[in-house]
Amino acid sequence: MTDAALTRTTPARKVRYGSMTADREWALRWSYVFLVIFAAFSLLPPLYMFITSLKTSAEISAATNPWWVFNPTLSNYVALLTEPQFLIFFRNSAVVSVLVVIITMLISIPAAFALSRMRFWGSATLATGVFLTYLVPDTLLFIPLFKMFATFHEWTGIQLLNRWWVLLIVYPTLTVPFCTWIMIGYFASIPKELDEAAIIDGASWVQVLTRIFIPVALPGIIAATIFAFTVSWAQFLYPLAFTTSVDQLVLPVGIITTLIKGDVFNWGQIMTGALLGALPPLIIYAFLMDYYIAGLTAGATKG
């Protein structure tokens, strides 16, 4: 049979322009199904916390419908926001988080720049080691760190434990490795022609970093900053181990230690404190989410 005969006998295949195929339509529908399930799974806990925060202790103890408020009240919010201890916890968390972010950026940005641009022997191995350091869980680190601080106090007489500023020493062990790794990927994605042209024009490495890389890598720096702030704000184990006095506690530990007395749990104020404590990271993510996503995905492609 000739090609002309095949052309006459074979029906022409219709091509659907401007619409998706059936497989893609089903894939899109299933994607929405799983997104709805994921959103419900993620939003139900904070919703339950908000509902509980509007209840009195008597209504919580009554074990009625946990997803409904019969007599809503703001007494839990008023009690916490007028409590001096809660304001101290909030202030300590804010000061520690801001200072840890500054310390982390002062260390991570030069370290990432050196490891990504100033090639030297062992730089690739050192960069990998920086990231592997972050993988060591804090549950394994807090005991050696506690012993080190106790030994330091025995040798020098300087007390580091039970001081809120000791967290400025231990938190960077969590934030610096990961932030450095993020910045390495972002700096590596910047074209080498930029720093090579600057060096040819007589710029020093410090000028290349401050005048070229930091402005170009601003989304990556913002992403690392958000990560460092979130880790510092939400950290629980380190402040629980290294601080004990009420005036030295940060918000996550302060809420638990002051609102749980023996076997009595003040659930209304606990949920209220957790919601109020989640507001600063939530506000930061709401305004800087685009920069955060751009910074995390910058190292996927280079050039």
Side-chain angles (χ1 to χ4, degrees), residues 102-179:
I102 295 174
I103 295 172
T104 300
M105 292 299 103
L106 290 177
I107 298 174
S108 298
I109 293 177
F113 178 73
L115 293 173
S116 62
R117 278 299 196 260
M118 302 173 63
R119 296 294 181 180
F120 53 89
W121 183 85
S123 59
T125 303
L126 183 59
T128 305
V130 168
F131 180 70
L132 293 178
T133 302
Y134 170 74
L135 299 181
V136 180
D138 50 3
T139 53
L140 297 179
L141 291 177
F142 81 96
I143 295 178
L145 287 173
F146 189 92
K147 182 63 177 178
M148 290 171 55
F149 292 143
T151 304
F152 182 81
H153 174 64
E154 294 176 358
W155 289 355
T156 63
I158 301 176
Q159 179 62 268
L160 296 178
L161 299 175
N162 197 26
R163 300 291 187 274
W164 65 263
W165 44 263
V166 73
L167 303 176
L168 304 180
I169 303 174
V170 297
Y171 279 2
T173 61
L174 302 174
T175 59
V176 169
F178 190 74
C179 291

Coordinates of all heavy atoms in Angstrom, one line a residue, residues 102-179:
I102 N 22.2 38.7 63.8 CA 23.4 39.5 63.5 C 24.7 38.7 63.5 O 25.5 38.8 62.6 CB 23.4 40.7 64.4 CG1 22.2 41.6 64.2 CG2 24.7 41.5 64.2 CD1 22.1 42.8 65.2
I103 N 24.9 37.9 64.6 CA 26.1 37.1 64.7 C 26.2 36.1 63.6 O 27.2 35.9 63.0 CB 26.1 36.4 66.1 CG1 26.2 37.5 67.2 CG2 27.3 35.4 66.2 CD1 26.1 36.9 68.6
T104 N 25.1 35.5 63.3 CA 25.1 34.5 62.2 C 25.4 35.1 60.9 O 26.2 34.5 60.1 CB 23.7 33.8 62.1 OG1 23.4 33.2 63.4 CG2 23.6 32.8 61.1
M105 N 24.9 36.2 60.5 CA 25.2 36.8 59.3 C 26.6 37.3 59.2 O 27.2 37.2 58.1 CB 24.2 38.0 59.0 CG 22.8 37.6 58.8 SD 22.5 36.6 57.4 CE 22.3 35.0 58.1
L106 N 27.1 37.8 60.3 CA 28.5 38.3 60.3 C 29.5 37.1 60.1 O 30.6 37.3 59.6 CB 28.8 39.0 61.6 CG 28.2 40.4 61.8 CD1 28.5 40.9 63.2 CD2 28.6 41.3 60.8
I107 N 29.1 35.9 60.5 CA 30.0 34.8 60.3 C 29.7 34.1 58.9 O 30.6 33.7 58.2 CB 29.8 33.8 61.4 CG1 30.2 34.4 62.8 CG2 30.6 32.5 61.2 CD1 30.0 33.6 64.0
S108 N 28.4 33.9 58.6 CA 28.0 33.1 57.5 C 28.4 33.7 56.1 O 28.8 33.0 55.2 CB 26.5 32.8 57.5 OG 26.2 32.1 58.7
I109 N 28.1 35.0 56.0 CA 28.3 35.7 54.7 C 29.8 35.6 54.3 O 30.1 35.2 53.2 CB 27.8 37.1 54.7 CG1 26.3 37.1 54.9 CG2 28.2 37.9 53.5 CD1 25.6 38.4 55.0
P110 N 30.8 36.1 55.2 CA 32.2 35.9 54.8 C 32.6 34.5 54.6 O 33.4 34.2 53.6 CB 32.9 36.6 55.9 CG 31.9 37.5 56.6 CD 30.6 36.8 56.5
A111 N 32.1 33.6 55.4 CA 32.5 32.2 55.2 C 32.0 31.6 53.9 O 32.7 30.9 53.2 CB 32.0 31.4 56.4
A112 N 30.7 31.9 53.6 CA 30.2 31.4 52.3 C 30.9 32.0 51.1 O 31.2 31.3 50.1 CB 28.7 31.7 52.3
F113 N 31.2 33.3 51.2 CA 32.0 33.9 50.1 C 33.3 33.3 49.9 O 33.8 33.1 48.8 CB 32.1 35.4 50.4 CG 32.8 36.2 49.4 CD1 32.3 36.4 48.1 CD2 34.1 36.7 49.6 CE1 33.0 37.2 47.2 CE2 34.8 37.4 48.7 CZ 34.3 37.6 47.4
A114 N 34.0 33.1 51.0 CA 35.4 32.5 50.9 C 35.3 31.0 50.3 O 36.1 30.7 49.5 CB 36.0 32.5 52.3
L115 N 34.3 30.3 50.8 CA 34.2 28.9 50.3 C 33.7 28.7 48.9 O 34.0 27.7 48.2 CB 33.3 28.1 51.3 CG 33.8 27.9 52.7 CD1 32.7 27.2 53.6 CD2 35.1 27.0 52.7
S116 N 32.9 29.7 48.4 CA 32.4 29.6 47.1 C 33.2 30.3 46.0 O 33.2 30.0 44.8 CB 31.0 30.2 47.1 OG 31.0 31.6 47.4
R117 N 34.0 31.3 46.4 CA 34.7 32.1 45.4 C 36.3 32.1 45.6 O 37.0 32.0 44.6 CB 34.3 33.6 45.5 CG 33.0 33.9 44.7 CD 33.2 33.5 43.2 NE 32.2 34.1 42.4 CZ 31.2 33.4 41.9 NH1 31.0 32.1 42.2 NH2 30.3 34.0 41.1
M118 N 36.7 32.1 46.8 CA 38.2 32.1 47.1 C 38.6 30.7 47.2 O 38.8 30.1 48.2 CB 38.5 32.9 48.3 CG 38.0 34.4 48.3 SD 38.2 35.2 49.9 CE 40.0 35.2 50.0
R119 N 38.8 30.1 46.0 CA 39.2 28.7 45.9 C 40.5 28.4 46.6 O 41.5 29.1 46.3 CB 39.2 28.2 44.5 CG 37.8 28.2 43.8 CD 36.9 27.3 44.5 NE 35.6 27.3 43.8 CZ 34.5 26.5 44.2 NH1 34.7 25.7 45.2 NH2 33.4 26.6 43.6
F120 N 40.6 27.5 47.5 CA 41.8 27.1 48.2 C 41.8 25.6 48.4 O 40.7 25.0 48.3 CB 42.1 27.9 49.5 CG 40.9 27.9 50.4 CD1 40.8 26.9 51.4 CD2 39.9 28.8 50.4 CE1 39.8 26.8 52.3 CE2 38.9 28.8 51.2 CZ 38.8 27.8 52.2
W121 N 42.9 25.0 48.8 CA 43.0 23.6 49.0 C 42.0 23.2 50.2 O 42.1 23.7 51.3 CB 44.4 23.2 49.4 CG 44.6 21.7 49.6 CD1 44.8 20.8 48.6 CD2 44.5 21.0 50.8 NE1 44.9 19.5 49.1 CE2 44.7 19.6 50.4 CE3 44.3 21.3 52.1 CZ2 44.7 18.6 51.4 CZ3 44.3 20.3 53.1 CH2 44.5 19.0 52.7
G122 N 41.2 22.2 49.9 CA 40.2 21.7 50.8 C 39.0 22.5 51.0 O 38.2 22.2 51.9
S123 N 38.7 23.5 50.1 CA 37.5 24.3 50.3 C 36.2 23.6 50.1 O 35.3 23.7 50.8 CB 37.6 25.5 49.3 OG 37.7 25.1 48.0
A124 N 36.2 22.7 49.1 CA 35.0 21.9 48.8 C 34.7 20.9 50.0 O 33.6 20.8 50.4 CB 35.2 21.1 47.5
T125 N 35.8 20.3 50.5 CA 35.6 19.4 51.7 C 35.1 20.2 52.9 O 34.2 19.7 53.6 CB 36.9 18.7 52.0 OG1 37.4 18.0 50.8 CG2 36.7 17.7 53.1
L126 N 35.7 21.4 53.1 CA 35.3 22.2 54.2 C 33.8 22.6 54.1 O 33.1 22.7 55.1 CB 36.2 23.4 54.3 CG 35.9 24.3 55.5 CD1 36.1 23.6 56.8 CD2 36.9 25.5 55.5
A127 N 33.4 23.0 52.9 CA 32.0 23.4 52.6 C 31.1 22.2 53.0 O 30.0 22.4 53.6 CB 31.8 23.8 51.2
T128 N 31.4 21.0 52.5 CA 30.6 19.9 52.9 C 30.6 19.6 54.4 O 29.5 19.3 55.0 CB 31.1 18.6 52.1 OG1 31.1 18.9 50.7 CG2 30.2 17.4 52.4
G129 N 31.7 19.8 55.0 CA 31.8 19.6 56.5 C 30.9 20.6 57.2 O 30.3 20.3 58.3
V130 N 30.8 21.8 56.7 CA 30.0 22.8 57.3 C 28.5 22.4 57.3 O 27.8 22.5 58.3 CB 30.1 24.2 56.6 CG1 29.0 25.2 57.0 CG2 31.5 24.8 56.8
F131 N 28.1 21.8 56.2 CA 26.7 21.3 56.2 C 26.5 20.1 57.0 O 25.4 20.0 57.7 CB 26.3 21.0 54.7 CG 24.9 20.5 54.6 CD1 23.8 21.3 54.7 CD2 24.7 19.2 54.3 CE1 22.5 20.9 54.6 CE2 23.4 18.7 54.1 CZ 22.3 19.6 54.3
L132 N 27.5 19.2 57.1 CA 27.3 18.0 57.9 C 27.3 18.4 59.4 O 26.6 17.7 60.2 CB 28.5 17.0 57.6 CG 28.5 16.4 56.2 CD1 29.7 15.5 56.1 CD2 27.2 15.6 56.0
T133 N 27.9 19.5 59.7 CA 27.8 19.9 61.1 C 26.4 20.3 61.5 O 26.0 20.0 62.6 CB 28.7 21.2 61.3 OG1 30.1 20.8 60.9 CG2 28.7 21.6 62.7
Y134 N 25.6 20.8 60.6 CA 24.3 21.2 60.9 C 23.4 19.9 61.1 O 22.4 20.0 61.8 CB 23.7 22.0 59.7 CG 22.2 22.2 59.8 CD1 21.6 23.1 60.7 CD2 21.3 21.5 59.0 CE1 20.3 23.2 60.8 CE2 19.9 21.6 59.1 CZ 19.4 22.5 60.0 OH 18.1 22.7 60.1
L135 N 23.8 18.8 60.5 CA 23.0 17.6 60.6 C 23.1 16.9 62.0 O 22.4 16.0 62.3 CB 23.4 16.6 59.5 CG 23.3 17.0 58.1 CD1 23.7 15.9 57.1 CD2 21.8 17.4 57.8
V136 N 24.1 17.3 62.8 CA 24.3 16.8 64.1 C 23.1 17.4 65.0 O 23.0 18.6 65.2 CB 25.6 17.1 64.8 CG1 25.7 16.6 66.2 CG2 26.7 16.6 63.9
P137 N 22.3 16.6 65.6 CA 21.1 17.1 66.3 C 21.5 17.7 67.6 O 22.5 17.4 68.2 CB 20.3 15.8 66.6 CG 21.2 14.7 66.5 CD 22.3 15.1 65.5
D138 N 20.7 18.7 68.0 CA 21.0 19.5 69.3 C 20.9 18.6 70.5 O 21.4 18.9 71.6 CB 20.2 20.7 69.4 CG 18.7 20.4 69.2 OD1 18.4 19.2 68.9 OD2 17.9 21.3 69.2
T139 N 20.1 17.5 70.4 CA 20.0 16.5 71.5 C 21.3 15.8 71.8 O 21.4 15.3 72.9 CB 18.9 15.5 71.2 OG1 19.2 14.9 69.9 CG2 17.5 16.1 71.1
L140 N 22.2 15.8 70.9 CA 23.5 15.3 71.2 C 24.6 16.3 71.6 O 25.6 16.0 72.1 CB 24.1 14.5 69.9 CG 23.3 13.3 69.4 CD1 23.9 12.7 68.2 CD2 23.2 12.3 70.5
L141 N 24.3 17.6 71.3 CA 25.2 18.6 71.5 C 25.1 19.3 72.9 O 26.0 19.9 73.4 CB 25.1 19.7 70.4 CG 25.6 19.3 69.0 CD1 25.4 20.4 68.0 CD2 27.1 18.9 69.0
F142 N 23.8 19.3 73.4 CA 23.6 20.2 74.6 C 24.4 19.7 75.8 O 24.8 20.4 76.7 CB 22.1 20.4 74.9 CG 21.5 19.3 75.6 CD1 21.3 19.3 77.0 CD2 21.0 18.1 75.0 CE1 20.7 18.3 77.7 CE2 20.4 17.1 75.7 CZ 20.3 17.2 77.0
I143 N 24.6 18.3 75.9 CA 25.3 17.8 77.1 C 26.8 18.2 77.0 O 27.3 18.7 78.0 CB 25.1 16.3 77.2 CG1 23.6 16.0 77.5 CG2 25.9 15.7 78.3 CD1 23.3 14.5 77.6
P144 N 27.5 17.9 75.9 CA 28.9 18.4 75.9 C 29.0 19.9 76.1 O 30.0 20.4 76.7 CB 29.3 18.0 74.5 CG 28.4 16.9 74.1 CD 27.1 17.2 74.7
L145 N 28.1 20.7 75.5 CA 28.2 22.1 75.7 C 28.0 22.5 77.1 O 28.7 23.4 77.7 CB 27.1 22.8 74.8 CG 27.4 22.8 73.3 CD1 26.2 23.4 72.5 CD2 28.6 23.7 73.0
F146 N 27.0 21.9 77.8 CA 26.8 22.1 79.2 C 28.0 21.8 80.0 O 28.4 22.6 80.9 CB 25.6 21.3 79.7 CG 25.1 21.7 81.1 CD1 24.1 22.6 81.3 CD2 25.7 21.1 82.2 CE1 23.7 23.0 82.5 CE2 25.3 21.4 83.5 CZ 24.3 22.4 83.7
K147 N 28.7 20.7 79.7 CA 29.9 20.3 80.5 C 31.0 21.3 80.2 O 31.8 21.6 81.1 CB 30.3 18.9 80.0 CG 31.5 18.4 80.7 CD 31.3 18.2 82.2 CE 32.5 17.6 82.9 NZ 32.3 17.5 84.4
M148 N 31.1 21.8 79.0 CA 32.2 22.8 78.7 C 32.0 24.1 79.4 O 32.9 24.6 80.0 CB 32.1 23.1 77.2 CG 32.7 21.9 76.3 SD 32.4 22.2 74.5 CE 33.2 23.8 74.3
F149 N 30.7 24.5 79.5 CA 30.4 25.8 80.3 C 30.7 25.6 81.8 O 31.2 26.5 82.5 CB 29.0 26.2 80.0 CG 28.8 26.7 78.6 CD1 27.6 26.4 78.0 CD2 29.8 27.4 77.9 CE1 27.3 26.9 76.7 CE2 29.6 27.8 76.6 CZ 28.3 27.6 76.0
A150 N 30.3 24.4 82.3 CA 30.6 24.1 83.7 C 32.1 24.1 84.0 O 32.5 24.6 85.0 CB 29.9 22.8 84.1
T151 N 32.8 23.5 83.1 CA 34.3 23.4 83.3 C 34.9 24.8 83.2 O 35.8 25.2 83.9 CB 34.9 22.5 82.2 OG1 34.3 21.2 82.3 CG2 36.4 22.3 82.4
F152 N 34.4 25.6 82.2 CA 34.9 27.0 82.1 C 34.7 27.8 83.4 O 35.5 28.6 83.8 CB 34.2 27.6 80.9 CG 34.6 29.0 80.6 CD1 35.8 29.3 79.9 CD2 33.9 30.1 81.0 CE1 36.2 30.6 79.6 CE2 34.3 31.4 80.8 CZ 35.5 31.6 80.1
H153 N 33.5 27.6 84.0 CA 33.2 28.3 85.3 C 34.2 27.8 86.4 O 34.6 28.6 87.2 CB 31.8 28.0 85.7 CG 31.4 28.5 87.0 ND1 31.4 29.9 87.3 CD2 31.1 27.9 88.2 CE1 31.1 30.1 88.6 NE2 30.8 28.9 89.1
E154 N 34.5 26.5 86.4 CA 35.5 26.0 87.4 C 36.9 26.6 87.2 O 37.6 26.9 88.2 CB 35.5 24.5 87.3 CG 34.2 23.8 87.7 CD 34.3 22.3 87.6 OE1 35.4 21.8 87.1 OE2 33.3 21.6 87.9
W155 N 37.3 26.8 86.0 CA 38.6 27.3 85.7 C 38.8 28.8 85.9 O 39.8 29.3 86.3 CB 39.1 26.9 84.3 CG 39.3 25.4 84.2 CD1 39.3 24.5 85.1 CD2 39.6 24.7 82.9 NE1 39.6 23.2 84.6 CE2 39.8 23.4 83.3 CE3 39.8 25.1 81.6 CZ2 40.1 22.4 82.3 CZ3 40.1 24.1 80.7 CH2 40.3 22.8 81.0
T156 N 37.7 29.5 85.4 CA 37.8 31.0 85.4 C 37.0 31.7 86.4 O 37.2 32.9 86.7 CB 37.4 31.5 84.0 OG1 36.1 31.2 83.8 CG2 38.3 30.9 82.9
G157 N 36.0 31.0 87.0 CA 35.1 31.7 87.9 C 34.0 32.5 87.2 O 33.2 33.1 87.9
I158 N 34.0 32.5 85.9 CA 33.0 33.3 85.2 C 31.8 32.3 84.9 O 31.9 31.3 84.3 CB 33.5 33.8 83.8 CG1 34.7 34.7 84.1 CG2 32.5 34.5 83.0 CD1 35.4 35.1 82.8
Q159 N 30.6 32.8 85.4 CA 29.4 32.0 85.3 C 28.7 32.3 83.9 O 28.3 33.4 83.6 CB 28.4 32.3 86.4 CG 27.1 31.6 86.3 CD 27.3 30.0 86.5 OE1 27.4 29.3 85.4 NE2 27.3 29.6 87.7
L160 N 28.6 31.2 83.1 CA 27.9 31.3 81.8 C 26.5 30.7 81.8 O 25.7 31.2 81.1 CB 28.7 30.7 80.7 CG 30.1 31.2 80.4 CD1 30.8 30.4 79.3 CD2 30.0 32.7 79.9
L161 N 26.3 29.8 82.7 CA 25.0 29.1 82.8 C 24.0 30.0 83.5 O 24.4 30.9 84.3 CB 25.2 27.8 83.5 CG 26.1 26.7 82.9 CD1 26.2 25.5 83.7 CD2 25.6 26.4 81.5
N162 N 22.8 29.8 83.2 CA 21.7 30.6 83.7 C 21.8 32.1 83.4 O 21.5 32.9 84.2 CB 21.5 30.4 85.2 CG 20.2 30.8 85.8 OD1 19.2 30.9 85.1 ND2 20.2 31.2 87.1
R163 N 22.3 32.4 82.2 CA 22.3 33.7 81.7 C 21.7 33.7 80.3 O 22.1 32.9 79.5 CB 23.8 34.3 81.7 CG 24.5 34.3 83.0 CD 23.9 35.4 83.9 NE 24.6 35.6 85.1 CZ 24.5 34.9 86.2 NH1 23.5 33.9 86.3 NH2 25.2 35.1 87.3
W164 N 20.8 34.6 80.0 CA 20.2 34.6 78.7 C 21.2 34.8 77.6 O 21.0 34.2 76.5 CB 19.1 35.6 78.6 CG 19.6 37.1 78.7 CD1 19.6 37.8 79.8 CD2 20.1 37.9 77.6 NE1 20.1 39.1 79.5 CE2 20.4 39.1 78.1 CE3 20.3 37.6 76.2 CZ2 20.9 40.2 77.3 CZ3 20.8 38.7 75.5 CH2 21.1 39.9 76.0
W165 N 22.3 35.5 77.8 CA 23.3 35.7 76.7 C 24.1 34.5 76.4 O 24.9 34.5 75.5 CB 24.2 37.0 77.1 CG 24.7 37.0 78.5 CD1 24.2 37.8 79.5 CD2 25.9 36.4 79.0 NE1 24.9 37.6 80.6 CE2 26.0 36.8 80.3 CE3 26.8 35.6 78.4 CZ2 27.0 36.3 81.2 CZ3 27.8 35.1 79.2 CH2 27.9 35.5 80.6
V166 N 24.1 33.5 77.3 CA 24.8 32.2 76.9 C 24.1 31.6 75.6 O 24.8 30.9 74.9 CB 24.7 31.2 78.1 CG1 23.3 30.6 78.2 CG2 25.7 30.1 77.8
L167 N 22.9 32.0 75.4 CA 22.2 31.5 74.1 C 22.9 32.1 72.9 O 22.8 31.5 71.8 CB 20.7 31.8 74.2 CG 20.0 31.2 75.4 CD1 18.5 31.7 75.4 CD2 20.1 29.7 75.4
L168 N 23.5 33.3 73.0 CA 24.2 33.9 71.9 C 25.4 33.1 71.5 O 25.9 33.2 70.4 CB 24.6 35.3 72.3 CG 23.5 36.3 72.7 CD1 24.1 37.6 73.0 CD2 22.4 36.3 71.7
I169 N 25.9 32.2 72.4 CA 27.0 31.3 72.1 C 26.6 30.0 71.5 O 27.2 29.5 70.6 CB 27.9 31.1 73.3 CG1 28.3 32.4 73.9 CG2 29.1 30.2 73.0 CD1 29.0 32.3 75.2
V170 N 25.5 29.4 72.0 CA 25.1 28.1 71.6 C 24.1 28.1 70.4 O 24.2 27.2 69.6 CB 24.4 27.4 72.8 CG1 25.3 27.2 73.9 CG2 23.1 28.1 73.3
Y171 N 23.3 29.1 70.2 CA 22.4 29.1 69.1 C 23.2 29.2 67.7 O 22.7 28.5 66.8 CB 21.5 30.4 69.1 CG 20.3 30.1 70.0 CD1 20.1 29.0 70.7 CD2 19.3 31.1 70.2 CE1 19.0 28.8 71.6 CE2 18.2 31.0 71.0 CZ 18.1 29.8 71.7 OH 17.0 29.6 72.5
P172 N 24.3 29.9 67.6 CA 25.0 29.9 66.3 C 25.5 28.5 65.9 O 25.8 28.3 64.7 CB 26.2 30.9 66.5 CG 25.6 31.8 67.5 CD 24.8 31.0 68.5
T173 N 25.6 27.6 66.9 CA 26.0 26.2 66.5 C 25.0 25.6 65.6 O 25.2 24.6 64.9 CB 26.3 25.4 67.7 OG1 25.1 25.3 68.5 CG2 27.4 25.9 68.6
L174 N 23.7 26.1 65.7 CA 22.6 25.6 64.8 C 22.4 26.4 63.6 O 22.1 25.9 62.5 CB 21.3 25.6 65.6 CG 21.3 24.7 66.9 CD1 20.0 24.9 67.6 CD2 21.5 23.3 66.6
T175 N 22.6 27.7 63.7 CA 22.2 28.6 62.6 C 23.4 28.9 61.6 O 23.1 28.9 60.4 CB 21.8 30.0 63.1 OG1 22.9 30.5 63.9 CG2 20.5 29.8 64.0
V176 N 24.6 28.9 62.1 CA 25.7 29.3 61.2 C 26.0 28.2 60.1 O 26.1 28.6 58.9 CB 27.0 29.5 62.0 CG1 28.2 29.6 61.1 CG2 26.9 30.8 62.8
P177 N 26.0 26.9 60.5 CA 26.3 25.9 59.4 C 25.3 26.0 58.3 O 25.6 26.0 57.1 CB 26.3 24.6 60.1 CG 26.6 24.9 61.5 CD 26.0 26.3 61.8
F178 N 24.0 26.0 58.6 CA 23.0 25.9 57.5 C 22.9 27.2 56.8 O 22.8 27.2 55.5 CB 21.6 25.6 58.1 CG 20.5 25.3 57.1 CD1 20.5 24.1 56.4 CD2 19.6 26.3 56.8 CE1 19.6 23.9 55.5 CE2 18.6 26.0 55.8 CZ 18.6 24.8 55.2
C179 N 23.0 28.4 57.4 CA 23.0 29.6 56.7 C 24.2 29.8 55.8 O 24.1 30.3 54.7 CB 23.0 30.8 57.7 SG 21.4 31.0 58.6

